[in-house]
Amino acid sequence: MDKNQKVKVLFIDDEENNLVAFKAAFRFDFHVLTASTPDDAMEVLRNHDDIETIICDQRMPEKTGVEFFEEVSSLFPQPVRMLTTGYTDIESVINAINKGKIFRYIRKPWNDEDIKTAVEEAHKFYSATSLLSKKNTELEEAYQELDKFAYRITHDLLGPLISVKEAMHLVGNEEDATVRAQILRLMEKSLQKLEDFVLNISHYYRLKQGELTLTPLDFNELVEYYQDLFSIESNLGNVDFEINYRNSDKGGDEFRTDEVKLKIILNNLLINAFKYQRDENPDKWVKMDINVEGGKSIIKVSDNGTGIPAFAMDNIFDMFYRATTKEPGSGFGLFNVKDAVSKLNGTIEVESEENVGSTFTITIPTK
Amino acid sequence: MKNIRFILVDDSHIDLLLIERMLRQLYPENSVLAFDDSTKGLRYLQDLKAADMDPHVVLLDIQMPILDGFGFLDAYDRIDDSVKAKIKVLMMSSSTNNADISRAKNNRNVRAYLSKPITKQAISDAVEIVGDMK
């Protein structure tokens, strides 16, 4: 039993003397609450949702202990129920077990040690059942999340598949080459969306289950990796891409983190920065500033693209949330980013203005 | 029939193209207006005036970002009855979720539900049902 927190026990008896005696005997062992009538007892139960054990006398003028427990078990199912009585009629014992669903039957006059043992056992039983019901609630929530997940996945996978299949028929019968090219371009976009979606789901699961794999991070290598990775995007989209790296901890301790998770974050932020550009802007740019200082790396990914509309700012990190139809997206990217940042004990901040651009700042401590 | 305007509201560009082409083939003389942003489609309908409008048939997708099909219908419901009298809404989706489908079918402003992939036959059947508009 937890020594710091006494178990709450509610004792019910119509004889005032018994209440006083019970309190005197157990006030050092338990947190004792008492009531002299079933109605008072109900009131106590309503005001204390953490009562673990109820001990009630069988013979009371208003109703029997069994009748009282019958009511209690539907209104307050959690506490463990015990019955005391001076009479040993077998009928009331059977009723108590069948109707009142009692845990223990205690004969009067009670023996202090018996009560202590009974309450300790009740405590174990109570803890196990409340743990079980907590697990059950968690399971139910997980199931509901899975349900929502399955619903969205079905839609987001099925939608583009159906459309692309239909478009294939269309493109086969289309004689105009320009229209054919247009349909093919849209088909490619749909397939790209599918690919992104599946990739993001795999990231999601990797984040959800994966333990952290910590290794020293070579920032120079990281810079080179991203210069390479986005060089095509940069050239094709005519977007200037610049990475700045500054390390004030050079010569100090190495920076340790989970590289895969960091890359999930940076990939998503950079993909978005390149994706949400304004076509009409002649001077498009994406910038990544990496600053390592005092065992922390602060990475800013900024662009001068479309920005995020103000109404969407509160929701951008939510699963499946999308703020635009202009570009295909899974509604998963920033959700994964947020998840990965928290797995790395980091923080993320965003500043954005529509038609001006966005800056995402992540701060990650070394592990 | 000739004066009916078709309004498409769907965030999927490929679906817009597919359905628009079917409509143009089925009803070459009617005008088709496509919105990939449901808020703009809604705004268009909200700006209509009963006195000088043609009858409209709206084909509305369910799953869309920012404002989904059901949110669209909630806002649509508040449009003046005289305007709504000249608009028929058809809902469409690739959803296999029964709750979605029955929610669409039971909405008082929805005349028919079409499941994707949409066929020309399904469009012409649905338009025939709602097409007896003045």
Side-chain angles (χ1 to χ4, degrees), chain A residues 151 155 163 174 179 323 325, chain B residues 14-15 21 36 63 66 97 100:
Chain A
Y151 166 68
H155 175 270
S163 309
E174 179 58 55
V179 178
T325 58
Chain B
I14 196 161
D15 286 2
R21 286 180 61 89
D36 71 348
Q63 284 281 353
I66 307 169
N97 182 291
D100 265 0

Side-chain angles (χ1 to χ4, degrees), chain A residues 243-260:
Chain A
I243 304 181
N244 300 306
Y245 165 50
R246 215 165 60 90
N247 193 338
S248 318
D249 287 357
K250 273 210 173 102
D253 291 334
E254 58 194 6
F255 189 88
R256 293 172 64 82
T257 193
D258 185 313
E259 195 173 332
V260 173

Side-chain angles (χ1 to χ4, degrees), chain A residues 151-152 154-155 159 162-163 166 170 174 179 182-183 190 322-323 325-326, chain B residues 11 13-15 17-18 21 36 63 65-66 94-97 100 116-117:
Chain A
Y151 166 68
R152 284 300 304 234
T154 322
H155 175 270
I162 289 174
S163 309
E166 284 303 292
L170 201 65
E174 179 58 55
V179 178
Q182 189 199 1
I183 299 171
S190 288
R322 299 200 51 226
T325 58
K326 290 288 162 269
Chain B
D11 63 311
H13 293 166
I14 196 161
D15 286 2
L17 178 110
L18 291 170
R21 286 180 61 89
D36 71 348
Q63 284 281 353
I66 307 169
S94 60
S95 180
T96 50
N97 182 291
D100 265 0
K116 288 182 182 176

